[in-house]
Amino acid sequence: MSVAVETKDTRELFISEHARVEDSLAGSRLGWLLRLRKAAIRSFAERGYPTLDEEDWRQTSVAPIARTAFRAAEATKFHGRAGEELEREAAGGLAACRLVFVNGFYAPELSSVPRLPEGGLRVGSLAALLRAGGEVLEPHLAQLADDGRNPFVALNTAFFADGPYVHVPARTALDFPVHLLYVATESAEPAAAFPRALLVTERETKATFIETFVGPPSASYFTNAVSELLVGENAHIEHVKLQREGDAAFHVATLQARQARNSNFVSHSFSLGGLLVRNDLNVVLDGEGIETTLNGLFRCTGRQHIDNHTLLDHAKPHGSSRELYKGILDGASKGVFNGKIIVRKDAQLTDAQQTNMNLLLSDEAYIDTKPQLEIFADDVKCKHGATIGAIDSDALFYLRSRGIPSDTARRMLITAFANEMIGRVPVEPVRERLLELIPQQLLQGR
Amino acid sequence: MLEIRNLCARVEGKEILKGIDLHVKAGEVHAIMGPNGSGKSTLAHILAGKEGYEVTAGEALYEGKNLLEMDPEDRAREGVFLAFQYPVEIAGVSIAAFLKAAVNAGRKHRGQPELDAMEILSMLEDRCKFVEMNKEFLKRNVNDGFSGGEKKRNEILQMAVLEPRLAILDETDSGLDIDALRIVAGGVNKLRRPDRAMVVVTHYQRLLDYIQPDHVHVLQAGRIVKSGGPELAHELEKSGYRWLELEPKGAQSVSVR
Ligand SMILES: Nc1ncnc2c1ncn2[C@@H]1O[C@H](COP(=O)(O)OP(=O)(O)OP(=O)(O)O)[C@@H](O)[C@H]1O
Ligand SMILES: [Mg+2]
């Protein structure tokens, strides 16, 4: 029994908070879900917050989260600054199919869902489906992300009340992206939101999902998100994550994906906001002939801490993965890139490539980059590399020698570094927004 | 236009320029020749404002102003242009975006309204003809994956766009085949004007067959050891630099007015 220091953290608070809200969570009377939630809070209670001694958390201390007494955020009407933010997001041309979640709860009045034909694409709120019995959810919900492996996933499983459910039936190609927008609101006490997404794509589908996280500036709040994504056989799925939380926010999120044979999955992760951020992206290549691409860009300034942990689990033969993450670090910020690649014994003829490139804009900024290869098959190709550098002074001089002021020249070079990642996003309004956001945030960081 | 007096400079503690004197008037073309490592690029870089050089003595005046005190971008906006011996590759920045930023920085400096994307583009497309470039070229990233000839043509394209008053061309002919040389030199000749001066650094007489210089200087071990008319380049082509080393010391630091 360990009683001394550990009980001082807010673990106890979350446990009693869970007892308080448990009966009000959607689906609380469904036996299967009740069991999942009980097991999850038990797992969190036993394990507590991860510590720096743990392999997966060595570079990121979650002490600031553990020290804060969060209440489970409540469904609320939406007002204030976040309203303007939302208008701008909506103006981005992503309104064709947009589901908005305020503090993790579906806000139908802010969402725009097109008329969908019977038997085709299905989008909606988990809470509504759970209240209606939740049969379609039972086989998938909380079946991919592992509560035992990550205590924050367990917290989400224990607390989630709502989130998006998307089902793309076999042989359906969507010609618009599905935009999932998570908004945090200001509250008197620090609040924690637990949005949960379940995205299921069947065989031979084509779809793009965008998950955007936004929140109020200077407010201390916690987004603890989990998204589960099933990529069907021969499906072509892209996923864009835009993390733009407020500058005092905590954001800990897991995207857990499983790919079926011959599928192609591309992830684009952009992390720009938040004070303490941890993104886990876990992909299981669970079939032959799978292709996976992980693109990432994180930029931090001031005292921001952004941690990207990715896991590519090659489970079957003939899989190929390409990973490129870029970091731009300014101020006294800290970035972490940890790219784990597992090649299982079965996964012969795997071809994996991982690259992490970092641009350090200040002497105090710090990047911790680490590849982690665990290879159990013998006939595989696995390459990895990482670079850390400042702005190229020759390039800077070249631009200045043509009359371009030094500030503009720096911004052009930083944007150029980011452009490679932005250019890969398949949705034009998102690319345009990113091109605006990256230099804008940099100017703030100057 | 440009007056360099007794310019001495060091790189990483090593003395490279040992008292350069050079006077360039509007409308003139000066050629600077000299063996490898003699300090030609060092001189060009110092004039353009590159960091890493320590000027230990002397001065450089451009239209009466102290050039060495100005930021590189200010020199450029005042009309100084350096065609780089080794143009820098910049992935992720298109030539069009690069030149738009450069042109508008110059216009802003002169109090002119900035040009919009369409206006810039039609101006750039027009200038592409100077160096016989297809306008598709403008979409490519600056020098990224360019052949040697494309890089040099890109330098002259930039010169045609920015319309400097003092252009310093550092070995713009090196590594060019005869066709590329003809194009590059043709571009330069079209840009010759009575109010524009050029300093052309080269190893080869062949460039000077296309671009007739008014004056030729020989830079050796950080000093201008001989100056003369176009015929000096022919002598150098015939006999190399060796015979100059036998010249009496008095032949150093000749300046041409
Ligand atoms: N950054 C530097 N650090 C140390 N030495 C340098 C540096 N830059 C130039 N030099 C030295 O200064 C001298 C002059 O170099 P510079 O590039 O000016 O010669 P150059 O006349 O242009 O030669 P080339 O004909 O080969 O272009 C050379 O000895 C070179 O090695
Ligand atoms: Mg040189």
Side-chain angles (χ1 to χ4, degrees), chain A residues 246-268:
Chain A
D247 52 9
F250 303 117
H251 177 97
V252 179
T254 292
L255 169 59
Q256 182 78 41
R258 191 171 73 209
Q259 290 183 248
R261 58 182 295 150
N262 297 326
S263 64
N264 186 311
F265 171 55
V266 185
S267 157
H268 311 262

Side-chain angles (χ1 to χ4, degrees), chain A residues 79-382:
Chain A
H79 56 271
R81 266 217 200 80
E84 296 161 26
E85 194 65 60
L86 188 68
E87 287 306 312
R88 282 209 290 158
E89 286 306 325
L94 297 175
C97 181
R98 185 185 67 224
L99 280 80
V100 180
F101 296 83
V102 178
N103 294 339
F105 296 89
Y106 185 48
E109 71 282 6
L110 300 171
S111 304
S112 67
V113 177
R115 281 183 57 89
L116 300 170
E118 198 67 30
L121 170 70
R122 230 178 131 179
V123 298
S125 118
L126 286 182
L129 284 164
L130 289 171
R131 277 192 292 268
E135 290 84 1
V136 290
L137 303 180
E138 189 177 348
H140 299 304
L141 190 61
Q143 298 306 306
L144 289 185
D146 187 350
D147 294 340
R149 219 182 126 236
N150 183 337
F152 288 100
V153 172
L155 260 190
N156 181 285
T157 302
F159 275 95
F160 82 87
D162 203 351
Y165 170 70
V166 183
H167 179 249
V168 187
R171 285 180 281 278
T172 306
L174 302 185
D175 51 11
F176 50 83
V178 175
H179 189 200
L180 309 169
L181 175 57
Y182 305 93
V183 190
T185 62
E186 238 149 326
S187 61
E189 290 168 279
F194 302 94
R196 180 90 180 200
L198 179 59
L199 315 172
V200 181
T201 66
E202 307 278 358
R203 54 185 302 150
E204 292 158 68
T205 49
K206 189 171 190 307
T208 299
F209 301 106
I210 304 168
E211 291 192 278
T212 302
F213 295 85
V214 294
S218 8
S220 175
Y221 66 89
F222 178 25
T223 302
N224 180 201
V226 173
S227 303
E228 292 173 292
L229 167 64
L230 272 162
V231 179
E233 186 176 333
N234 219 4
H236 280 65
I237 304 300
E238 302 216 26
H239 179 277
V240 184
K241 172 173 177 175
L242 252 121
Q243 184 280 107
R244 300 176 40 214
E245 303 276 16
D247 52 9
F250 303 117
H251 177 97
V252 179
T254 292
L255 169 59
Q256 182 78 41
R258 191 171 73 209
Q259 290 183 248
R261 58 182 295 150
N262 297 326
S263 64
N264 186 311
F265 171 55
V266 185
S267 157
H268 311 262
S269 168
F270 293 88
S271 243
L272 309 176
L275 180 62
L276 171 56
V277 174
R278 164 70 177 240
N279 299 307
D280 275 281
L281 169 52
N282 307 321
V283 185
V284 183
L285 290 75
D286 198 14
E288 295 196 13
I290 287 173
E291 287 180 33
T292 311
T293 306
L294 306 187
N295 299 316
L297 178 71
F298 54 100
R299 90 158 282 298
C300 37
T301 185
R303 308 206 65 83
Q304 271 181 294
H305 180 113
I306 298 183
D307 176 346
N308 281 293
H309 264 65
T310 65
L311 166 60
L312 282 157
D313 187 346
H314 285 267
K316 298 279 158 63
H318 293 286
S320 136
S321 64
R322 294 289 177 272
E323 177 169 24
L324 173 59
Y325 264 66
K326 287 189 172 187
I328 303 172
L329 300 105
D330 202 356
S333 64
K334 183 176 170 183
V336 177
F337 173 78
N338 191 104
K340 190 168 182 169
I341 299 175
I342 303 177
V343 183
R344 308 259 173 206
K345 202 156 173 275
D346 262 2
Q348 296 294 1
L349 301 163
T350 286
D351 175 2
Q353 281 180 28
Q354 176 193 88
T355 310
N356 171 228
M357 298 168 76
N358 300 285
L359 187 58
L360 291 187
L361 301 176
S362 92
D363 293 341
E364 289 151 284
Y366 182 82
I367 174 75
D368 199 328
T369 173
K370 188 168 149 217
Q372 246 182 309
L373 306 185
E374 294 179 8
I375 298 173
F376 304 100
D378 48 29
D379 190 8
V380 301
K381 274 197 282 186
C382 235

Side-chain angles (χ1 to χ4, degrees), chain A residues 392 394-395 397-406 412-413 416 419, chain B residues 49-50 72-73 76-77 81-82 84 91-92 98 102 105 143 155 158:
Chain A
D392 178 10
D394 285 337
F397 174 64
Y398 192 69
L399 295 178
R400 293 178 74 192
S401 79
R402 300 307 184 233
I404 299 171
S406 136
M412 285 174 77
L413 293 174
N419 265 352
Chain B
K50 190 170 180 179
E73 54 267 41
R77 288 179 291 206
F81 179 88
L82 168 64
F84 284 58
F98 166 51
N143 297 321
E155 294 296 290
Q158 293 171 46

Side-chain angles (χ1 to χ4, degrees), chain B residues 11-12 14 16 34-43 52-53 85-86 170-171 201 203 219:
Chain B
V11 183
E12 290 175 0
K14 191 169 130 200
I16 308 289
N36 293 117
S38 56
K40 304 181 297 294
S41 292
T42 301
L43 175 62
Y53 300 92
Q85 180 175 4
Y86 302 109
D170 191 359
E171 297 202 21
V201 174
H203 283 285
L219 185 63

